[in-house]
C-alpha cells in the first residue's frame, strides 16, 4: 500500500487560511462602511446645495423675512458642520480600510509561506516515493533476470 502525503503543519495552514478569510471579510465590511459614509456625505451635500440654490427654504413664497433668512443661514451652517463631520468619518473609514487591507496582505503572505513549504514538502515526498517505486521495480527486474539465468 502506498504512503499518503501528510503535511505536519496542515493545522497551521488551516488556521492561516481562516485568518486570511476573516481579514478579507473585515476588509469588505470596511469598504461597505466607506460607501455608506460617502453616500451620506453626498446626500447632505446635495441637501445643502439645494438649500443654497433654492434660497426659499422656510420662507413664504414671494416674501423673505429676516427670520427666514436667519433660519436658512443657521440650517446651512448646521449642514456645513454635518458635512465636515461626515467628511472626517469618510477619511477615518478609509484609513481603517487601508489598515485592514495591509493586515489582509500580511495574512496572505503568512499563508502563502506555509503553502510554499507544503508544496516543497510534497514535492520531496513525491520524489522519494518515485525513488522507492523505481528501486522496487529494479529489484523485481533483477530477481526476474536472476531466475531466467538460473533456468
Amino acid at each position: 500500500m502506498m504512503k499518503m502525503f501528510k503535511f505536519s503543519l496542515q493545522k497551521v495552514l488551516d488556521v492561516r487560511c481562516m485568518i486570511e478569510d476573516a481579514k478579507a471579510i473585515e476588509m469588505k465590511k470596511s469598504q461597505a462602511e466607506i460607501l455608506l459614509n460617502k453616500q451620506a456625505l453626498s446626500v447632505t451635500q446635495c441637501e445643502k446645495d439645494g438649500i443654497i440654490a433654492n434660497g426659499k427654504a422656510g420662507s413664504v413664497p414671494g416674501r423673505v423675512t429676516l427670520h427666514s433668512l436667519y433660519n436658512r443661514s443657521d440650517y446651512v451652517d448646521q449642514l456645513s458642520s454635518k458635512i465636515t463631520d461626515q467628511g472626517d468619518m469618510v477619511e477615518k473609514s478609509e484609513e481603517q480600510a487601508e489598515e485592514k487591507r495591509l493586515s489582509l496582505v500580511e495574512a496572505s503572505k503568512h499563508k502563502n509561506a506555509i503553502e510554499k513549504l507544503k508544496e516543497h514538502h510534497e514535492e520531496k515526498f513525491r520524489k522519494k516515493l518515485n525513488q522507492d517505486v523505481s528501486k522496487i521495480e529494479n529489484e523485481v527486474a533483477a530477481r526476474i533476470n536472476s531466475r531466467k539465468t538460473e533456468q
Side-chain angles (χ1 to χ4, degrees):
M1 189 159 146
M2 291 183 62
K3 290 183 180 179
M4 296 298 293
F5 175 72
K6 184 173 180 180
F7 185 52
S8 60
L9 298 174
Q10 185 62 45
K11 289 183 181 182
V12 173
L13 180 59
D14 293 342
V15 169
R16 297 277 169 99
C17 288
M18 287 187 286
I19 290 171
E20 183 185 35
D21 292 343
K23 302 255 184 211
I25 290 169
E26 286 178 15
M27 191 175 122
K28 286 181 182 181
K29 286 180 181 178
S30 190
Q31 289 173 335
E33 182 180 343
I34 289 172
L35 184 62
L36 288 174
N37 288 337
K38 283 184 177 181
Q39 288 173 343
L41 176 61
S42 178
V43 166
T44 306
Q45 185 66 45
C46 288
E47 184 178 353
K48 178 184 172 188
D49 292 343
I51 296 292
I52 292 172
N54 188 0
K56 296 181 182 177
S59 65
V60 177
R63 186 170 162 208
V64 177
T65 65
L66 185 59
H67 183 66
S68 67
L69 286 175
Y70 176 76
N71 285 341
R72 185 177 70 156
S73 174
D74 188 42
Y75 186 59
V76 169
D77 288 343
Q78 289 176 6
L79 288 176
S80 295
S81 176
K82 188 175 179 182
I83 288 169
T84 302
D85 292 344
Q86 287 176 333
D88 292 344
M89 285 178 58
V90 168
E91 287 179 19
K92 185 179 177 184
S93 296
E94 287 174 341
E95 289 172 4
Q96 289 175 346
E98 181 62 18
E99 289 173 7
K100 289 180 181 182
R101 186 191 68 79
L102 293 174
S103 178
L104 174 62
V105 167
E106 197 65 29
S108 293
K109 285 180 184 178
H110 290 296
K111 183 194 80 161
N112 289 340
I114 299 293
E115 283 181 339
K116 283 185 179 183
L117 185 63
K118 179 181 179 179
E119 289 171 6
H120 179 70
H121 281 253
E122 193 169 9
E123 184 179 319
K124 284 175 68 176
F125 174 79
R126 298 225 185 282
K127 277 185 178 178
K128 176 79 168 101
L129 188 63
N130 287 339
Q131 288 174 350
D132 291 347
V133 168
S134 179
K135 185 177 177 182
I136 291 171
E137 287 174 349
N138 289 339
E139 287 177 6
V140 169
R143 286 182 185 171
I144 291 173
N145 283 338
S146 68
R147 286 185 183 165
K148 283 183 182 178
T149 55
E150 287 177 2
Q151 290 178 351

